[in-house]
Every structure is written in structure tokens, then in C-alpha cells.
Amino acid sequence: MNRLLVWVIMMSLLVNTAVGQGFRIVTDSDELEGSNWRFMPGDNLHWADSTFNDSNWEKLATDRSIELASDTWQQNKGWFRKTLHPRSGIVNQDLRLVVKQFGASEIYLDGRLLAVLKPAQFDSGGSQRLLRFVPIRFPDTNQHILAIRYRFRRDPVIQASTNIVPISIHLYNPDQAGELLRDEAQWTSALDGCFIGVFGMLALLHFLFYRANRSQAINRILAWGMFFFALIFLIAELDEYVGTLTHVSVTDMISDLSMHAGFILLLTAVYQYLHLRRNWIYYTVISTVVIDQLYRFAIGTPPDGLSWVPFGLVNIDYVRVSWLGRKTNDTDARLPWNSLKFSLYCVLLMIVISIAAGIMESALKNSFEYMLVAIIGLGAISIFSIPVGLSLSLVRDYTRTYNALDKNLREVEQLSARTLAQEQEKQHLLARQNELLEEQVHERTAELHQSLEELKATQAQLVQREKLASLGELTAGIAHEIQNPLNFVNNFAEVSVELVEELNEERGKPDGERDKDLETDLLSDLGQNVQKISDHGKRAASIVRGMLQHSRASSGQKQPTNLNALIDEYLRLAYQGLRAKDKSFNAHLTTHFSPNLPTINLVPEDIGRVLVNLFNNAFYAVQQKSQLAAEFVPAVSVTTTQTNDQLIIQVRDNGTGIPDDVRNKVFQPFFTTKPTGEGTGLGLSLSYDIIAKGHGGQLSVATEAGVFTEFTITLPIG
């Protein structure tokens, strides 16, 4: 990107040359602009005299930028002198000196004052820029001395490296001077506007790309880089309207910062685009650019020959990483190198055209002008080729991504269409299968239909409002639990029928042949069978009652309840109920009720059912353990506490505990640790559903086999 500013300067000179070559009147051997001026700092009116010898003065062009920090301009003033030899064609003609200056000046010809040029607000701290047309006439072709007494006002500056062009002076015909200046300004503005527009659009394009896909950070880097390049040309366009050194220092600082930031971002973008690791070379180059900017801000412009070193290093590293990208097989990775190569071709072609233009200038004036236009166009292309090349590579990436997404979208649409067709076919098959199933159902016998209705009724009784378990699991549980006692009932009933027949047969014999002992044995066996039938019938009835209780829906009417009183009531009720069955059973009951427990909205009957189940299980556990250990003291305790917005009930016993391998199953329907005939396996399942689903609480268990079991109920307040 060093070529960026170099070609801007070159094209500006070419524009000036293209405008001036056709219309500007120059002397035979010298031009007013150039390096043939002599300069001396200080102030002495004798230096305007044509006889004064200025051979020991420094050669310095009037349009060379002033470095404010240099020793030459410490006095803010000095004299320029130039020796002129007019052509015979301009002798005794009214000509115009077109003077564009920053500061104030006095122009002398052969010691005679021609004009005093001083901005209107120069002494009041206003603008120091001035444009004037000064009349001049050469009386003969002899040697003439043009002297300029120059000075400027030193305003406060922000950046040490602040440069101004003191005077730009040209000699024109009076009729053409204004038109030429206007054309030159239009050319310059057009070029600046072109660069501002292109880089501005690139900045906006990359910013929009980044907004669309934030994962590609390179677009953000290039957006800021293009923005800084556009800002450079915008500052250059506004530079003519900046009239004080303070404002010039601000624009110079912004331009320098933009230029350095643009170079850094462009190099960073190339590294990121080629997926190269930023090594010590990258950080060395970036550090050089940063140091150069800091030097310009704090000290001044770097010495001649060193000012372009940082940007030259950026270009060298750009060439290096572009060459690395060229060596890969990735076509996109070769784009930075191709852009750089295209830029170099444009430079070589510009050099060839410039040489040809110099040769043909005297013979073919119009062709020379066309060549200059071609040089300007090639210069613009060379400037744009590198950043535009990077931008185009990213655009290609987006194009490929868009095409890939579009292809994937079409594939998804086709797949969706096939899936929809398959789904429709599947629905058709399912509908046909449903029809076949319905036909098979209608063909079932009335007996099977009646059995199915009874089974549904039984299942409906086992299902709570929240569906305690799946239909298959409950049906299997019902069949398994009821089948065993029914089998016993049927078997003992058949045996009893045989015993009755045998007894009747024995009693039908004559008295002398009857066996009284046999009849007694038959009656005894018959009584035992009837008792077993009764026991297993009660077992089946117990299972049915448990299922009905498990499935029965409560009224759901919650009411404010004193939880301590409710627990105490059901604890005594459960204990007395067990004592009525087993007079020998005794247990130590302990209650730890929180005295300040608030009332809570609940369904008393449902919570009472839960408490009775937990108390009965606790009494059963301690009763079983007391049968194993003679000195064992059964103990059951109940504790109530309040934690935040919850009430906690803990029922603890020191009984047999629950083994670890079955602890996770205790809340499942039909699961019980009690022997067959002593439990239905529905009590804890029913309790869990009442607490969790009916009251929004939790029921958990903590146990250690052979030591204790503790059930914890957590109920929300409110």
C-alpha cells in the first residue's frame, strides 16, 4: 500500500502536467515551480535587489512541504529567489502569476515590489491561506530576478509532524489562468471523490458482510481498513479549506493515524484470509508502523529516506505472505498474490507509457495527453487492485456459500417432499390397519367383550386424576396379584367338592359299614379347606379394596388445617388400630411438633391416608424387628418443622430398614417388602401421588438396613 500514496502524488503531478503542458507559458530554460529556487531563512530587504549574490543560499523549492520542527523555519520567515530568462514570445505581454500560499508574502521583480499578499485575517489568528493573480510583464529577454519575502504565523499544533506548502506559483496567460485552475481543482476533486467513493463502498460492503455473519472477523478488519483509506482522501480533499496551523496539525494527525491504521489492518486481513499464524515477522512490522506513528506525533517527520521504511516493510511482508498463499493449491489463497501481480503489471505499464510520452511529447501533443490519461487510469487501477482483490475474494467466498446453501435448501425441500409422501403412505397403511383391527374387535365373542369391559372398569378404579402409572403396568400388576389367591380358592374348592362327595358316599353306607373316623377326618379336612378358601378370599378382597382405595379420587377440597393436630390424631388412631389386632404390641411414640407451625391448605382425608400408611409401615417394621431381638425397644417418632415456605413432616422408626437394592422401588405400584398376604404394594404408591400430584410436595425416604427408616414429606405453604 506504499504505492497508494505514491501514486496519488504521481497522479496529482500528472494532472497538473496535463493541464499545464497545453496552456501554461514557461520561460526558455526554467519553470517557476521546481527545485531551482534559492532560499535563506531570516529577513533582509537587500535580498530583493537583483545584484545581490545568492549563490551560497540553499536550493529549496517553494512548493516543498515545511517541516515546522526543522531548524530552517525556526524564525517563521525567509526569502526565495529565482533567476528567470523569458522567451521572446512573452516579452511585453500581460501575464499573471498565480500564487497559492499559506502565510503572507511580498513579491519583487528585479528589486521592484510587484504585490503584497497577506490574508485578511492573518494578524487576528484567522486563515493563512490565500490565492491571488499577480500581473507581471517582462520588458526584454535579459536575466531577471524574482524574489519572494515569505513568512507565516506559528499557531499551536497538536502533532509535532505538521507540514505545510509555503507557496505554489505558476505563470499563465490572463485569459486562461482561471480556467486552468478550475480544471485542475475539478480533476483533483474527481480523483479524491473516486477514491472516497470506492473505499467508502468497500467499507460499507464489508461491514454489511460482517453484520450478516459475525463469525468472519476478516470483514470487520477490512471494513475498518477501507474506512481509514477513504478517510485519508477525505482529509486530502478538505486540506485546501484548513487555514490555520492548529487545524492543519489536526488533519495531519488524522491522516497519519488513518494511513498507519489502514496499513496495519490490510496486512492483518491478508494473514487472516490466508489462515497464517502471526509470527515474529508480523509483529516486528506492526511495531515499526506503530513506532513511526508515535515518532511523528511526539518528535516530527522521520529523516529523509526513513519515512517510508515502515510502509515498505508492510509491502514486503504483504508480498511474502502473498507468495506463501500462491504456493498453496487453494484458488482463493492465490487471489492476494494475483492482485499484487496485477498491480505490478500496471506500474510497469505506466512506466512504459510515461517513457513513450516523454519521447513523443514534442511531435504528437494530443497523443501525449491521451497517454497521460492512460497513466492516470492505470495508476487508479494499481491502487485499487490490492484491497479490491481481497474484497473480491471474500465476495467469492460468500457467493460459494450462498450457492452451497441454495443447493442444500433444494435438497432439503426434495427430502421433505419424499418424507411427506412416505408419511402419507404410512398414514394410509395405519388407517388400513386400524380398520382391520376394528373388524377383528367386532368379531370377538360376547364373553371376551364382557371381560374387557370388566377389566376397563377395574383399571379405571386404579387410575388417579394424574394417571398413576401406565395401563400395561397396572394391568399386569392386577393380573399377577389377583391370580394367586384365586388359584388357591379354585384348587381348595375342587378338593372340598371331592371331600363332600366322599363324605356323602361314606354316610350313604349302612350303619355297620360306615367309618366314623374317616368321616371325622373328611370333615376336619373340609373345614381346613373352607378356612383356606376364606383366607385367600380375604386376600383377594384386600387387594381389590387396596386397588379401589388407590384409584379413588378425593373431593379435592382443600381447607386450612392444623397439621400438628392432624398428625397427632392419625398417629394415635393407627397405633390403637394395630393394638386392637395384637394386644402384645407396644412401641415408644415420640412427637416433636413445631409450636409456631402455620395452618396450611390441604385435603385432610388424603393427607390422613398418607400418614396412616406411613405409621402402619413404621409399626410393622419395629414389630418385625422386635420378634428377632428380645431386648429391642420399638420406637416411632414424628417431627414437624418449617423451612422458608415449606412445612416438613418426618416419620422415623428404628425397625428393620429397607435394603439398598430395593429402596428405589418402594414408590412403585404393587411393590412390597412384606411377605405374600401381608401387603398389597399400593400404600406408598398412593401416598406418593397424593403428596406429589395432589399437593405439589415431595415424599422421600432415607434408610439404613437393620438400623432405621425415615420418610420425609415436604409441603409448600400457600
Side-chain angles (χ1 to χ4, degrees):
M1 286 307 295
N2 191 7
R3 286 182 296 278
L4 182 63
L5 297 182
V6 171
W7 286 119
V8 172
I9 297 173
M10 180 179 290
M11 284 190 289
S12 299
L13 294 176
L14 289 173
V15 171
N16 292 334
T17 304
V19 174
Q21 287 290 343
F23 306 103
R24 190 171 58 204
I25 300 175
V26 297
T27 61
D28 289 332
S29 59
D30 298 316
E31 295 181 351
L32 295 182
E33 68 278 7
S35 60
N36 293 327
W37 288 85
R38 298 282 183 172
F39 175 76
M40 174 62 71
D43 188 21
N44 191 336
L45 288 177
H46 293 293
W47 295 345
D49 194 345
S50 60
T51 61
F52 179 77
N53 184 9
D54 58 9
S55 59
N56 61 342
W57 285 19
E58 175 188 1
K59 287 186 177 181
L60 184 67
T62 59
D63 55 359
R64 180 177 179 181
S65 296
I66 293 176
E67 173 59 41
L68 298 180
S70 65
D71 296 336
T72 304
W73 293 99
Q74 291 300 317
Q75 302 180 30
N76 305 337
K77 55 188 175 182
W79 282 74
F80 292 95
R81 285 172 57 93
K82 188 176 183 67
T83 301
L84 304 177
H85 296 85
R87 296 195 312 241
S88 58
I90 64 173
V91 173
N92 293 322
Q93 290 192 14
D94 291 329
L95 304 177
R96 294 291 184 271
L97 287 176
V98 179
V99 181
K100 296 171 65 177
Q101 68 181 26
F102 188 94
S105 66
E106 297 176 2
I107 301 178
Y108 296 86
L109 182 62
D110 298 329
R112 180 173 57 87
L113 180 64
L114 289 181
V116 176
L117 306 179
K118 181 178 178 181
Q121 299 178 348
F122 182 82
D123 295 329
S124 60
S127 175
Q128 299 191 65
R129 292 197 182 274
L130 183 68
L131 172 63
R132 287 288 186 273
F133 295 87
V134 179
I136 187 172
R137 176 189 290 266
F138 294 101
D140 50 47
T141 59
N142 296 331
Q143 175 178 302
H144 297 275
I145 301 297
L146 185 63
I148 302 176
R149 182 187 184 189
Y150 174 76
R151 63 190 176 94
F152 67 90
R153 185 183 70 245
R154 187 177 289 271
D155 301 321
V157 295
I158 297 177
Q159 178 173 268
S161 176
T162 301
N163 302 322
I164 59 172
V165 176
I167 298 179
S168 175
I169 183 169
H170 302 285
L171 184 64
Y172 293 105
N173 280 329
D175 297 336
Q176 299 172 335
E179 181 179 353
L180 292 177
L181 287 176
R182 184 172 59 254
D183 292 341
E184 179 181 354
Q186 290 176 351
W187 271 87
T188 304
S189 298
L191 287 175
D192 289 339
C194 177
F195 285 116
I196 293 171
V198 171
F199 284 119
M201 286 189 293
L202 288 177
L204 179 60
L205 178 66
H206 286 294
F207 176 74
L208 294 176
F209 281 163
Y210 176 70
R211 286 288 302 274
N213 186 5
R214 294 183 180 271
S215 62
Q216 289 193 343
I218 186 175
N219 284 305
R220 179 178 59 184
I221 296 174
L222 283 177
W224 281 109
M226 298 302 113
F227 169 77
F228 285 127
F229 286 141
L231 188 60
I232 293 173
F233 293 100
L234 179 62
I235 294 298
E237 180 65 20
L238 298 177
D239 193 56
E240 294 294 329
Y241 305 98
V242 178
T244 66
L245 280 178
T246 302
H247 295 157
V248 170
S249 68
V250 173
T251 57
D252 283 355
M253 181 182 67
I254 297 175
S255 181
D256 287 344
L257 286 173
S258 299
M259 181 173 62
H260 289 74
F263 274 94
I264 292 175
L265 292 173
L266 180 62
L267 184 60
T268 303
V270 175
Y271 269 87
Q272 185 159 349
Y273 180 76
L274 297 178
H275 306 289
L276 296 177
R277 186 175 61 87
R278 301 173 192 175
N279 53 17
W280 65 270
I281 299 177
Y282 168 83
Y283 289 107
T284 300
V285 173
I286 297 303
S287 299
T288 305
V289 177
V290 173
I291 292 173
D292 181 75
Q293 173 58 40
L294 295 176
Y295 186 93
R296 292 172 183 267
F297 181 80
I299 300 176
T301 303
D304 292 340
L306 297 179
S307 59
W308 291 103
V309 169
F311 310 111
L313 292 177
V314 172
N315 276 335
I316 292 173
D317 198 33
Y318 184 95
V319 173
R320 183 184 68 85
V321 297
S322 299
W323 178 260
L324 294 177
R326 175 184 178 275
K327 292 166 62 177
T328 63
N329 294 326
D330 190 356
T331 304
D332 291 334
R334 299 169 62 92
L335 279 174
W337 171 256
N338 293 335
S339 301
L340 181 64
K341 186 168 60 176
F342 180 72
S343 177
L344 293 175
Y345 289 159
C346 291
V347 172
L348 293 176
L349 186 58
M350 290 173 63
I351 294 174
V352 173
I353 294 177
S354 299
I355 294 174
I359 296 174
M360 302 176 64
E361 177 180 3
S362 58
L364 300 173
K365 181 177 180 180
N366 292 333
S367 298
F368 174 74
E369 293 175 356
Y370 292 140
M371 290 179 182
L372 291 177
V373 174
I375 292 173
I376 295 172
L378 290 174
I381 294 174
S382 68
I383 291 174
F384 293 139
S385 60
I386 295 177
V388 171
L390 283 176
S391 299
L392 290 178
S393 18
L394 289 176
V395 170
R396 288 184 57 181
D397 288 344
Y398 271 100
T399 302
R400 279 202 310 271
T401 303
Y402 173 79
N403 292 335
L405 291 176
D406 184 64
K407 180 180 178 181
N408 292 337
L409 179 61
R410 289 196 298 269
E411 292 177 354
V412 170
E413 291 177 349
Q414 295 174 358
L415 182 61
S416 300
R418 290 196 299 268
T419 304
L420 180 61
Q422 294 174 356
E423 186 67 23
Q424 291 176 348
E425 182 180 359
K426 188 182 298 183
Q427 292 293 336
H428 178 72
L429 292 176
L430 290 176
R432 179 57 184 165
Q433 290 178 358
N434 289 335
E435 293 177 358
L436 292 176
L437 289 176
E438 290 178 358
E439 293 176 359
Q440 292 176 0
V441 170
H442 288 303
E443 293 174 357
R444 292 182 182 273
T445 62
E447 181 181 356
L448 180 60
H449 178 74
Q450 181 64 31
S451 299
L452 181 62
E453 292 297 327
E454 292 176 356
L455 180 59
K456 288 181 178 180
T458 305
Q459 291 172 347
Q461 294 174 352
L462 295 173
V463 176
Q464 294 290 335
R465 289 176 302 175
E466 296 79 9
K467 294 183 179 179
L468 303 178
S470 63
L471 180 62
E473 180 180 347
L474 290 177
T475 303
I478 294 170
H480 176 74
E481 291 296 325
I482 296 180
Q483 186 64 41
N484 288 334
L486 289 182
N487 287 338
F488 280 111
V489 170
N490 292 334
N491 291 335
F492 283 113
E494 291 176 359
V495 172
S496 297
V497 170
E498 293 177 357
L499 291 176
V500 170
E501 291 177 353
E502 186 177 352
L503 179 62
N504 290 332
E505 181 181 351
E506 188 66 26
R507 294 182 66 181
K509 293 179 180 181
D511 293 337
E513 297 179 3
R514 293 175 58 183
D515 188 349
K516 298 295 183 178
D517 294 335
L518 178 60
E519 292 180 2
T520 302
D521 292 338
L522 290 176
L523 289 174
S524 176
D525 292 341
L526 184 60
Q528 292 177 1
N529 288 349
V530 171
Q531 182 62 41
K532 290 181 179 180
I533 291 173
S534 175
D535 292 341
H536 288 289
K538 291 179 180 179
R539 166 64 178 159
S542 175
I543 293 173
V544 172
R545 283 196 302 273
M547 290 187 298
L548 293 176
Q549 184 182 31
H550 195 276
S551 62
R552 184 171 67 244
S554 65
S555 62
Q557 298 296 324
K558 294 183 179 181
Q559 59 188 18
T561 304
N562 185 330
L563 193 59
N564 289 337
L566 183 69
I567 295 173
D568 186 69
E569 176 185 354
Y570 279 98
L571 176 63
R572 305 305 171 186
L573 181 63
Y575 182 68
Q576 294 302 326
L578 186 58
R579 287 270 298 165
K581 297 179 181 179
D582 185 2
K583 299 295 185 179
S584 63
F585 174 74
N586 288 289
H588 182 66
L589 303 182
T590 305
T591 58
H592 302 283
F593 293 150
S594 176
N596 299 322
L597 211 63
T599 59
I600 181 173
N601 287 326
L602 49 78
V603 182
E605 296 82 2
D606 289 349
I607 298 299
R609 188 182 309 167
V610 173
L611 293 173
V612 168
N613 284 330
L614 297 182
F615 295 151
N616 286 338
N617 288 339
F619 293 145
Y620 178 82
V622 297
Q623 184 184 38
Q624 294 298 312
K625 189 173 181 180
S626 65
Q627 295 175 359
L628 301 176
E631 298 180 356
F632 171 70
V633 178
V636 176
S637 65
V638 183
T639 304
T640 59
T641 56
Q642 179 180 359
T643 303
N644 296 330
D645 295 333
Q646 295 178 333
L647 296 184
I648 299 176
I649 307 171
Q650 294 173 309
V651 179
R652 183 184 181 97
D653 66 76
N654 60 348
T656 56
I658 302 174
D660 292 337
D661 56 341
V662 299
R663 180 167 50 183
N664 295 330
K665 302 178 181 179
V666 295
F667 297 119
Q668 295 180 4
F670 300 111
F671 179 82
T672 179
T673 59
K674 298 178 182 179
T676 303
E678 295 187 18
T680 63
L682 296 174
L684 288 179
S685 174
L686 172 65
S687 300
Y688 184 86
D689 287 333
I690 291 174
I691 297 299
K693 299 180 180 180
H695 292 78
Q698 295 179 355
L699 177 59
S700 60
V701 61
T703 182
E704 182 178 349
V707 180
F708 77 95
T709 300
E710 183 177 78
F711 285 90
T712 302
I713 301 173
T714 303
L715 296 173
I717 301 175

